[in-house]
C-alpha cells in the first residue's frame, strides 16, 4: 500500500473529481450570464409572471423580489428556479434603463457599438470564432488522452475509474464555448426576426441579434407582437416607450428572417 502504483490512481481520481466539481460549479451559459444582476421578467406559465433581480448559478437561477407575497405568513425574499425548470422557460425579458439616466446612455452606446462594431471588437470576435471552430478537435483529442489514461492497468484497478474519467472529459469539453454557427454569426449586430409558436399560431418578433449559445438567442431592442405579453408588461409597470432585451430559448424560438433598416 506504500507503493506509488497504489497511490497514483487514487490521487488522479481525486484530482479529476475535484477539477470536475470546480468546473461544474463555475460553468454557466454565457448569454444567460449577461442578464446576471439585472431586473428581469419571465413567465413561469401562461398565467403566472414573476419579476426580480436575477442571480445566475451553474445549476439554476434566483430572482430576488421586492414583493409583498408571503409563504406561511413569512415575507418572500426570492424565488429559486432549478436548472430543469430554467430549461422550460420560453424567454427572459430585461427592461432597458430610462434613456435619460447614466445607465440608459450606456445601454444606447452598447446598442450602437453592436450595430457598428469597432475594429477591436471584430478582431476579438474573429479570434473567438477561430477558437470555437477547434472545439470538436479539442474534444476528440481530450477524449483520446483520457481514454488512454483510463485504460492504464494501474488506473483500471481503481473502483469507478471509467466513470470518473468520463465525468472529467464531459466537464472539460463542456467548458469550451459553443461552436461557431455561420448563419447566426453572419447576422450578429443585424436586425432580425425570430419565430416562435403560440397556441394561436406562429408569431415573429424583431430585434438586434447580440449573441447566441447552444441554449439561447439574445436580442436587443425587441419589438413584441404578442398581445398577451404586452398586457403583462403593462401590469408590471412598463410603458409603451420602454425598450427590452430578450433571451429566447432555442427550444421555443428560431431565427427566421433578416430585416432591412
Amino acid at each position: 500500500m506504500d507503493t506509488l502504483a497504489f497511490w497514483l490512481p487514487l490521487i488522479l481520481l481525486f484530482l479529476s473529481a475535484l477539477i470536475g466539481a470546480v468546473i461544474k460549479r463555475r460553468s454557466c451559459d454565457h448569454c444567460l450570464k449577461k442578464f446576471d444582476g439585472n431586473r428581469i421578467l419571465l413567465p413561469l406559465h401562461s398565467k403566472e409572471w414573476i419579476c426580480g433581480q436575477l442571480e445566475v448559478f451553474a445549476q439554476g437561477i434566483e430572482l430576488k423580489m421586492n414583493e409583498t407575497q408571503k409563504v406561511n405568513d413569512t415575507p418572500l425574499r426570492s424565488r429559486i428556479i432549478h436548472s430543469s425548470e430554467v430549461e422550460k422557460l420560453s424567454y427572459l425579458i430585461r427592461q432597458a434603463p430610462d434613456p435619460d439616466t447614466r445607465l440608459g446612455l450606456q445601454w444606447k452606446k452598447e446598442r450602437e457599438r453592436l450595430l457598428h462594431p469597432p475594429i477591436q471588437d471584430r478582431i476579438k470576435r474573429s479570434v473567438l470564432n477561430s477558437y470555437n471552430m477547434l472545439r470538436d478537435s479539442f474534444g476528440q483529442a481530450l477524449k483520446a488522452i483520457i481514454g488512454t489514461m483510463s485504460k492504464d492497468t494501474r488506473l483500471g484497478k481503481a473502483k469507478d475509474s471509467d466513470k470518473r474519467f468520463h465525468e472529467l472529459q464531459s466537464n472539460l469539453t463542456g467548458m469550451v464555448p459553443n461552436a461557431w454557427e455561420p448563419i447566426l454569426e453572419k447576422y450578429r449586430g443585424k436586425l432580425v426576426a425570430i419565430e416562435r409558436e403560440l397556441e394561436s399560431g406562429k408569431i415573429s418578433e424583431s430585434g438586434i441579434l447580440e449573441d447566441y449559445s447552444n441554449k439561447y438567442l439574445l436580442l436587443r431592442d425587441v419589438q413584441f407582437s404578442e398581445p398577451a405579453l404586452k398586457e403583462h408588461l403593462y401590469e408590471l409597470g412598463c410603458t409603451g416607450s420602454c425598450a427590452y432585451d430578450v433571451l429566447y430559448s432555442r427550444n421555443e424560438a428560431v431565427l427566421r428572417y433578416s430585416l432591412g433598416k
Side-chain angles (χ1 to χ4, degrees), residues 42-43 45-46 49 88-93 193-206 217 219 222-233 246-257:
L42 62 86
H45 47 72
S46 60
W49 280 61
K88 297 177 183 178
L89 298 176
S90 300
Y91 43 76
L92 293 84
I93 302 171
I194 63 95
E195 183 178 80
R196 58 190 181 92
E197 191 83 35
L198 299 179
E199 292 182 0
S200 57
K202 294 181 180 179
I203 65 166
S204 298
E205 293 170 339
S206 62
L217 296 172
L219 270 66
V222 173
Q223 303 297 316
F224 293 114
S225 58
E226 181 184 352
L229 171 55
K230 292 181 179 180
E231 293 176 6
H232 284 297
L233 293 175
V246 183
L247 204 58
Y248 289 100
S249 168
R250 295 184 67 172
N251 293 328
E252 305 288 340
V254 294
L255 191 149
R256 183 64 69 193
Y257 309 104

Side-chain angles (χ1 to χ4, degrees), residues 85-104:
E85 299 171 310
V86 174
E87 293 174 358
K88 297 177 183 178
L89 298 176
S90 300
Y91 43 76
L92 293 84
I93 302 171
R94 176 178 65 185
Q95 182 179 342
D98 190 316
D100 295 329
T101 64
R102 180 179 59 83
L103 290 177

Side-chain angles (χ1 to χ4, degrees), residues 94 96 103-118 121 188-191 206-210 219-223 243-245 261:
R94 176 178 65 185
L103 290 177
L105 293 175
Q106 181 180 346
W107 184 90
K108 186 176 180 180
K109 288 181 180 179
E110 290 174 354
R111 181 184 183 278
E112 290 302 313
R113 185 165 184 159
L114 184 62
L115 289 170
H116 309 288
D121 286 3
R188 279 192 69 257
K190 304 291 193 303
L191 189 62
S206 62
I208 303 167
L209 179 63
E210 177 177 351
L219 270 66
R220 283 251 181 157
D221 203 3
V222 173
Q223 303 297 316
Y244 304 96
D245 304 328
K261 294 182 180 180

Side-chain angles (χ1 to χ4, degrees), residues 109-170:
K109 288 181 180 179
E110 290 174 354
R111 181 184 183 278
E112 290 302 313
R113 185 165 184 159
L114 184 62
L115 289 170
H116 309 288
I119 185 65
Q120 60 266 32
D121 286 3
R122 295 181 184 181
I123 293 175
K124 181 179 178 180
R125 190 71 188 187
S126 179
V127 171
L128 178 61
N129 288 339
S130 299
Y131 173 68
N132 286 341
M133 289 174 66
L134 296 174
R135 182 188 183 188
D136 291 339
S137 299
F138 172 80
Q140 292 296 326
L142 184 62
K143 182 177 180 180
I145 293 171
I146 293 178
T148 301
M149 292 176 62
S150 64
K151 290 178 181 178
D152 185 277
T153 55
R154 291 171 296 177
L155 297 179
K157 294 178 182 178
K159 185 178 180 180
D160 295 332
S161 60
D162 290 341
K163 180 180 177 181
R164 296 302 179 188
F165 277 107
H166 179 72
E167 288 178 356
L168 175 61
Q169 174 197 331
S170 300

Side-chain angles (χ1 to χ4, degrees), residues 16-140:
S16 67
L18 180 62
I19 294 171
V22 171
I23 293 172
K24 192 173 183 180
R25 182 178 179 182
R26 294 179 176 273
S27 61
C28 297
D29 185 276
H30 70 276
C31 285
L32 184 60
K33 286 175 68 175
K34 290 185 178 182
F35 275 28
D36 189 34
N38 297 131
R39 188 169 183 268
I40 67 161
L41 323 171
L42 62 86
L44 290 179
H45 47 72
S46 60
K47 295 184 179 179
E48 183 180 4
W49 280 61
I50 58 175
C51 176
Q53 183 177 355
L54 178 67
E55 187 170 358
V56 179
F57 298 91
Q59 299 299 317
I61 61 176
E62 180 178 9
L63 265 69
K64 298 178 181 178
M65 306 163 69
N66 296 321
E67 306 277 344
T68 57
Q69 301 178 23
K70 294 184 177 181
V71 175
N72 296 330
D73 295 326
T74 304
L76 179 65
R77 296 181 58 186
S78 67
R79 183 156 185 165
I80 298 167
I81 304 175
H82 299 278
S83 56
S84 59
E85 299 171 310
V86 174
E87 293 174 358
K88 297 177 183 178
L89 298 176
S90 300
Y91 43 76
L92 293 84
I93 302 171
R94 176 178 65 185
Q95 182 179 342
D98 190 316
D100 295 329
T101 64
R102 180 179 59 83
L103 290 177
L105 293 175
Q106 181 180 346
W107 184 90
K108 186 176 180 180
K109 288 181 180 179
E110 290 174 354
R111 181 184 183 278
E112 290 302 313
R113 185 165 184 159
L114 184 62
L115 289 170
H116 309 288
I119 185 65
Q120 60 266 32
D121 286 3
R122 295 181 184 181
I123 293 175
K124 181 179 178 180
R125 190 71 188 187
S126 179
V127 171
L128 178 61
N129 288 339
S130 299
Y131 173 68
N132 286 341
M133 289 174 66
L134 296 174
R135 182 188 183 188
D136 291 339
S137 299
F138 172 80
Q140 292 296 326

